[in-house]
Amino acid sequence: MAGWYEGPLVAFDTETTGIDVETDRIVSAAVVVQDARDARPRVTRWLVSPGVPVPEQATAVHGLTQEHLERHGRWPAPVMDEVARELVAHAAANRPLVVMNAPYDLTLLDRELRRHRASSLSRYLGDSELCVLDPRVLDKHVDRYRKGPRTLADLCAHYDVELVDPHDAAADALAALSVVRAVGARFATHLARLTPKELHELQITWHAAQARGLQAWCAHGGSPEVVDPAWPLRTALPSAA
């Protein structure tokens, strides 16, 4: 019997103006749908004119300039509505959602919905529930003692997944989806018996434990960085709206 990692998966990714989920903005987003491991992926892309300056450091990462976004991007409000509705449709169809470092991208989307739609991701979901598979959390759990960084590029190299165009939202989403399939296949003994829903619930605990470990490491090194244990969405702050 084929495992969940052989079946339909959806992936979501964004490119942004920075790394602060409370203040930075989405400039591009993509949803990739793949009905089976060898099926041709279907890609939906969005380009956003964020309404705020795009720092040069961000442009250096994803290549999207202020001028390009103002000329070709759309206003954020309708885009965030479309992205949220797309994710809700897949949640209602019980398709697992792959998001690399989910608390980053999903929290950014939630804050953009609050900012531009006076709503939230949970309000859009209503009675539906996201079933998230985070390759970063899964990999750190099943192979916790492996040394080295675990960025998407690192995971792709480790699992022999091709990353064609790094920091393009669609390319990153497809790569993350492929990594999750590879993790599921390589560690089928541990993961195949679990349903995606069960994995979602377990990742809440796994991520919290991983965050505590990272927080201890930061404290030992004298770093003031605070590691949020919440997954797959960070708690909303009043200022986010």
Side-chain angles (χ1 to χ4, degrees), residues 100 146 148-160 163 179:
M100 173 71 183
R146 189 178 81 249
R150 306 198 191 212
T151 66
L152 180 58
D154 295 314
L155 295 183
C156 286
H158 182 71
Y159 289 100
D160 297 320
L163 180 54
V179 167

Side-chain angles (χ1 to χ4, degrees), residues 31-227:
V31 170
V32 175
V33 183
Q34 191 179 39
D35 295 325
R37 174 183 288 275
D38 297 322
R40 182 169 183 168
R42 304 188 299 277
V43 180
T44 304
R45 303 170 183 264
W46 293 268
L47 195 65
V48 185
S49 179
V52 299
V54 180
E56 292 182 0
Q57 301 96 310
T59 297
V61 173
H62 49 59
L64 298 171
T65 65
Q66 182 90 39
E67 180 182 5
H68 179 81
L69 292 169
E70 289 177 351
R71 180 173 298 180
H72 301 287
R74 297 166 57 203
W75 185 244
V79 172
M80 301 311 151
D81 177 71
E82 290 172 16
V83 172
R85 290 181 185 278
E86 177 84 4
L87 297 186
V88 170
H90 292 299
N94 295 315
R95 298 189 188 100
L97 178 66
V98 174
V99 190
M100 173 71 183
N101 191 15
Y104 176 73
D105 292 270
L106 292 181
T107 303
L108 269 165
L109 175 60
D110 176 79
R111 302 314 191 250
E112 288 281 57
L113 290 169
R114 292 169 185 272
R115 186 177 292 119
H116 297 290
R117 305 294 305 186
S119 187
S120 67
L121 187 54
S122 63
R123 288 180 189 172
Y124 268 82
L125 284 164
D127 294 332
S128 299
E129 294 182 354
L130 290 177
C131 179
V132 179
L133 299 172
D134 188 331
R136 186 177 183 180
V137 176
L138 292 172
D139 173 70
K140 288 182 74 172
H141 179 76
V142 296
D143 199 1
R144 68 186 69 183
Y145 300 114
R146 189 178 81 249
K147 294 182 178 181
R150 306 198 191 212
T151 66
L152 180 58
D154 295 314
L155 295 183
C156 286
H158 182 71
Y159 289 100
D160 297 320
V161 169
E162 185 179 14
L163 180 54
V164 178
D165 190 8
H167 301 296
D168 170 83
D172 285 356
L174 179 58
L177 188 154
S178 298
V179 167
V180 163
R181 292 196 189 281
V183 172
R186 184 173 299 185
F187 295 94
T189 303
H190 304 287
L191 300 179
R193 61 184 175 82
L194 299 167
T195 66
K197 178 61 177 175
E198 289 171 333
L199 278 172
H200 176 100
E201 296 300 324
L202 286 168
Q203 284 171 101
I204 296 173
T205 302
W206 295 347
H207 179 270
Q210 293 164 8
R212 288 193 297 270
L214 181 57
Q215 186 69 75
W217 183 85
C218 290
H220 180 74
S223 171
E225 182 178 355
V226 176
V227 183

Side-chain angles (χ1 to χ4, degrees), residues 17-34:
T17 59
I19 60 173
D20 188 331
V21 296
E22 302 298 340
T23 60
D24 282 306
R25 311 298 176 89
I26 293 173
V27 297
S28 70
V31 170
V32 175
V33 183
Q34 191 179 39

